[in-house]
Amino acid sequence: MKGKKRRESVSTTILAKVPVVEPGHTPATVTDQISSVVLTRTPKWWYAAFGASFLLVLLLMQAVTKLLVEGTGIWGLNVPVGWGFAIINFVWWIGIGHAGTLISAILLLLRQPWRTSINRFAEAMTLFAVACAGLFPLIHVGRPWLAYWLLPIPNTMDMWPQFRSPLIWDVFAVSTYATASLLFWYVGLIPDLATLRDRSISRVRKVVYGFFAMGWRGSARHWHNYESAYLLLAGLATPLVVSVHTIVSFDFAIGQIPGWHATIFPPYFVAGAIFAGFAMVITLAVPLRVIFRLQDFITLRHIQSMAKVMLATGLIVAYGYLTEIFMAFYSGNQYEEFMLLNRIQGPYRYHWYALLLCNVLAPQLMWIKRARTSPLIVFVVAMFVNVGMWLERFVIVVTSLHRDFMPSSWGMYHGTYWDWATFIGTIGLFLSLLFLFIRFLPMISMFEMRTILPESEDSQA
Amino acid sequence: MSQTMPQHRPIYGLMAEFTSSHELLRAIRASRASGYTKMDAYTPYPIEEVWEELGHHRSKLPAIVLTGALIGIALGFGLQYWASVINYPLNIGGRPLNSWPAFIPITFEVTILVATLFAVAGMFVLNGLPMPFHPVFNVKRFALASRDRYFLCIEADDLNFDREATAQFLQNLNPTEVSEVAG
């Protein structure tokens, strides 16, 4: 017993010192290994994986075409549940995106060196998730060809959007978020595009990478302004990411529906977004590091740190659930109380139980060091969270709407085939974009990896 | 002029290649001590010390981004104020037209948007990008600047620049190679 304890404490100290890059790497080896993923021949499995995801994109296109032809009646929406899969999926996707910004901006400002090997693909994940998220409100408006009415464009009707509505705040928040994420990602890529330009052998690649590298030379002046720009962008993205999900939560909280009208919503939604996003980063990072043999760069230290963030934000989310329960009774409002009891005992109770299992119980495994340092267990827990966070939005949207103030207007809501086809189609879109990204761009930031190598740190000391 | 020999075509400068940042920093210090001012260093990752050793300090970027943020505030709030109070005033139950608390989220988002655009555009402008071609790319080994090598280029328009003497000077700094950068 004693011997075992000692061995564990030894392994604890070793793990605490697990470096963010395995020893023996130099700027040259880091560059060569990461760029070789892009510059060597396309592996066969890539075609299969991309092909499979692209089939789902075709499904998405079919579902959207059907929607454009026949209208939102093909979905399960009806009175009283007028907000269904579209809003659930929108919130789910945009929440996933938030982890990318958190890793690239907030952890940069907090000087966490372990962010370096995961920030690039986490940022790409953000972009693709926001692309999927943006699709839903767009097709949900019913007549997407008139979606520009949401923008403050002078028009022949002489009308402006309602600037006092959270739905219009959403338009500004999400479009700003998409633009800022794209720019942040692209600026981060420029030095690596220059590396690919310099290392490509084929003329076409040289020209294409060279075009996007914009003539980057890595001169002292370049780096100086670059670092300054990168820090400022991180500083701007940090409040932005908090504002985006706060505004998303306002879509609900400003509506006077029991189960939505709560002041806990903004912080609870932001924590949920980070929770879901980290789960998705883990879902991507664990297979990628094995497939591309990047264990030297995405080490157990990263897996462990991400698991800890997932646990911490999961606890905040659990606290949010508790507060919802407490406030429902403390309010003394019969509709609030009924909403909660209906959530626990009503026809959607199994969704609620599954949600508690996925979001509250499963992450508790991450208290155990052995579980936290096993990529497989962390991956499985992350999958639970991915599902759980989708269920959370389902429960918030559907259980609050389906039984409102008057029993005569109660109803049930189920997603139809086309609801599911659209949702699964966006997963295909996300994966397709991700496979393209992995194939054509370095998924780990090479220049930042060079910075955190021990020898570079010596040279700066 | 017609007698100018081919090897005396004007050049952009002389470039020395180093294998470590220590050597690069030492070379910069030595060059500065010898009176060279027009030079630039090229490194595979940002090293703030290099910029300082080259005799520079501040970046203009924070001021540019602040300007962008202020423009964003004015633009975001101005748009909503103008639309709701001046262009299309709509009296809803006597509520104030300038309901500024409801205008804050959009003002905030537009502020971030414009500041971000200024940060990226400012970085490009200050760095002179996009610049598809630059003389330093004439040096074959310069491709390694984006991998693991460190370069120092003393430019020909430096007052102390002399093709032979400067080459000799760089040679003494223990570089891997010194090459002429064609203009």
Side-chain angles (χ1 to χ4, degrees):
Chain A
M1 190 69 188
K2 218 171 180 182
K4 197 182 168 207
K5 217 170 196 175
R6 193 182 304 138
R7 203 170 66 225
E8 263 191 7
S9 74
V10 167
S11 77
T12 309
T13 48
I14 289 172
L15 255 172
K17 284 180 186 160
V18 167
V20 282
V21 186
E22 291 293 336
H25 276 289
T26 65
T29 60
V30 168
T31 310
D32 295 351
Q33 198 179 336
I34 298 172
S35 63
S36 75
V37 174
V38 176
L39 296 174
T40 48
R41 274 180 69 92
T42 313
K44 283 208 181 70
W45 67 262
W46 186 89
Y47 290 105
F50 178 73
S53 333
F54 198 75
L55 281 179
L56 296 179
V57 177
L58 294 179
L59 179 67
L60 174 68
M61 290 162 90
Q62 188 201 7
V64 172
T65 310
K66 172 103 175 156
L67 176 83
L68 293 183
V69 174
E70 297 196 11
T72 41
I74 63 165
W75 291 346
L77 299 179
N78 211 328
V79 174
V81 182
W83 267 14
F85 266 42
I87 194 87
I88 297 167
N89 298 338
F90 165 71
V91 181
W92 189 69
W93 277 120
I94 200 125
I96 285 171
H98 283 8
T101 319
L102 182 97
I103 290 169
S104 52
I106 300 179
L107 295 184
L108 176 77
L109 298 178
L110 296 177
R111 297 179 186 279
Q112 294 294 309
W114 59 271
R115 74 176 266 290
T116 302
S117 45
I118 53 174
N119 71 331
R120 171 69 49 72
F121 72 78
E123 281 167 38
M125 179 194 82
T126 296
L127 269 184
F128 306 151
V130 171
C132 292
L135 190 68
F136 283 103
L138 210 61
I139 57 177
H140 185 256
V141 294
R143 290 181 289 169
W145 49 94
L146 297 177
Y148 68 91
W149 285 6
L150 292 163
L151 302 173
I153 301 171
N155 54 51
T156 51
M157 298 171 293
D158 201 23
M159 294 283 277
W160 294 103
Q162 173 54 284
F163 292 119
R164 300 175 184 95
S165 159
L167 296 179
I168 290 298
W169 302 348
D170 235 8
V171 173
F172 281 85
V174 174
S175 54
T176 298
Y177 186 50
T179 313
S181 305
L182 177 69
L183 287 174
F184 197 46
W185 182 67
Y186 176 58
V187 166
L189 267 171
I190 289 175
D192 280 4
L193 288 168
T195 300
L196 291 176
R197 170 198 68 202
D198 295 339
R199 295 181 57 72
S200 293
I201 298 158
S202 101
R203 174 90 192 144
V204 178
R205 279 174 175 254
K206 255 191 190 325
V207 170
V208 174
Y209 287 129
F211 178 83
F212 286 105
M214 289 203 176
W216 179 264
R217 304 191 294 282
S219 83
R221 169 177 304 278
H222 281 184
W223 283 123
H224 180 68
N225 289 320
Y226 182 87
E227 288 268 275
S228 182
Y230 204 66
L231 268 178
L232 287 163
L233 285 176
L236 291 167
T238 301
L240 175 65
V241 70
V242 175
S243 82
V244 172
H245 226 66
T246 300
I247 290 176
V248 167
S249 80
F250 284 166
D251 291 345
F252 298 95
I254 297 216
Q256 287 168 335
I257 300 279
W260 288 2
H261 198 56
T263 47
I264 187 83
F265 262 42
Y268 159 50
F269 264 50
V270 172
I274 296 165
F275 183 48
F278 264 85
M280 190 54 92
V281 176
I282 292 169
T283 309
L284 301 178
V286 169
L288 281 181
R289 72 194 276 274
V290 178
I291 295 170
F292 292 106
R293 297 189 187 83
L294 295 171
Q295 287 99 330
D296 282 5
F297 305 140
I298 304 173
T299 62
L300 283 182
R301 160 96 179 265
H302 297 95
I303 306 281
Q304 203 186 186
S305 298
M306 288 191 280
K308 283 180 185 167
V309 176
M310 195 165 69
L311 175 61
T313 47
L315 290 172
I316 301 176
V317 169
Y319 175 75
Y321 298 155
L322 272 178
T323 308
E324 275 190 324
I325 296 172
F326 174 75
M327 287 310 293
F329 293 110
Y330 186 68
S331 71
N333 180 311
Q334 59 166 323
Y335 298 108
E336 288 281 343
E337 271 176 42
F338 171 76
M339 177 280 302
L340 197 91
L341 290 174
N342 182 48
R343 204 172 263 185
I344 298 171
Q345 303 167 343
Y348 291 109
R349 61 184 175 278
Y350 293 112
H351 290 77
W352 198 70
Y353 300 152
L355 144 75
L356 290 185
L357 168 73
C358 292
N359 283 355
V360 179
L361 278 183
Q364 303 311 321
L365 258 181
M366 298 291 97
W367 288 103
I368 305 163
K369 180 159 225 117
R370 192 159 298 181
R372 218 164 50 222
T373 49
S374 150
L376 183 68
I377 297 179
V378 176
F379 179 79
V380 171
V381 170
M383 286 312 268
F384 269 95
V385 175
N386 286 330
V387 175
M389 285 309 290
W390 190 87
L391 284 171
E392 178 197 300
R393 278 67 178 251
F394 183 92
V395 166
I396 290 175
V397 171
V398 177
T399 62
S400 307
L401 285 175
H402 90 118
R403 287 185 174 174
D404 64 359
F405 308 96
M406 283 209 304
S408 61
S409 65
W410 289 0
M412 287 295 288
Y413 171 81
H414 299 287
T416 61
Y417 170 80
W418 293 109
D419 277 312
W420 285 104
T422 316
F423 175 48
I424 293 169
T426 53
I427 294 177
L429 176 64
F430 177 78
L431 290 177
S432 302
L433 290 169
L434 200 77
F435 282 124
L436 286 174
F437 160 71
I438 288 169
R439 186 64 207 116
F440 293 108
L441 292 168
M443 74 181 110
I444 295 179
S445 170
M446 294 186 275
F447 85 88
E448 286 178 286
M449 290 302 283
R450 294 180 203 124
T451 322
I452 58 163
L453 291 171
E455 76 173 49
S456 321
E457 280 175 353
D458 288 349
S459 75
Q460 289 180 40
Chain B
M1 290 296 272
S2 54
Q3 294 149 347
T4 314
M5 303 288 282
Q7 64 265 39
H8 282 160
R9 271 181 320 182
I11 57 168
Y12 174 76
L14 286 159
M15 186 181 263
E17 175 189 332
F18 301 94
T19 50
S20 82
S21 55
H22 298 289
E23 288 169 24
L24 174 71
L25 284 167
R26 218 178 46 216
I28 295 172
R29 280 182 212 119
S31 310
R32 294 255 297 163
S34 311
Y36 293 107
T37 50
K38 296 229 163 184
M39 54 184 168
D40 209 340
Y42 303 86
T43 54
Y45 52 88
I47 307 171
E48 199 51 28
E49 229 182 323
V50 168
W51 177 250
E52 280 159 16
E53 291 292 345
L54 283 169
H56 306 289
H57 290 286
R58 298 171 66 106
S59 169
K60 293 192 190 98
L61 207 57
I64 295 175
V65 175
L66 179 65
T67 314
L70 294 175
I71 293 175
I73 292 177
L75 212 65
F77 195 84
L79 166 77
Q80 298 174 82
Y81 183 86
W82 185 76
S84 321
V85 179
I86 298 166
N87 185 252
Y88 203 106
L90 198 58
N91 187 335
I92 303 165
R95 291 186 180 82
L97 294 172
N98 178 24
S99 50
W100 66 267
F103 296 163
I104 298 300
I106 291 183
T107 307
F108 177 80
E109 300 300 332
V110 177
T111 306
I112 298 279
L113 180 66
V114 180
T116 306
L117 294 174
F118 268 58
V120 176
M123 189 271 283
F124 282 137
V125 171
L126 291 178
N127 281 346
L129 299 176
M131 188 187 282
F133 182 74
H134 190 273
V136 292
F137 291 120
N138 285 327
V139 178
K140 263 226 151 54
R141 290 183 61 83
F142 186 70
L144 295 175
S146 64
R147 183 169 176 259
D148 63 338
R149 292 303 161 96
Y150 307 79
F151 293 83
L152 176 66
C153 181
I154 299 184
E155 287 152 30
D157 50 4
D158 190 296
L159 288 175
N160 292 327
F161 187 85
D162 177 275
R163 213 155 160 169
E164 266 84 51
T166 305
Q168 194 52 50
F169 166 77
L170 283 174
Q171 228 20 290
N172 293 337
L173 295 171
N174 193 26
T176 325
E177 198 178 276
V178 173
S179 31
E180 290 195 341
V181 184

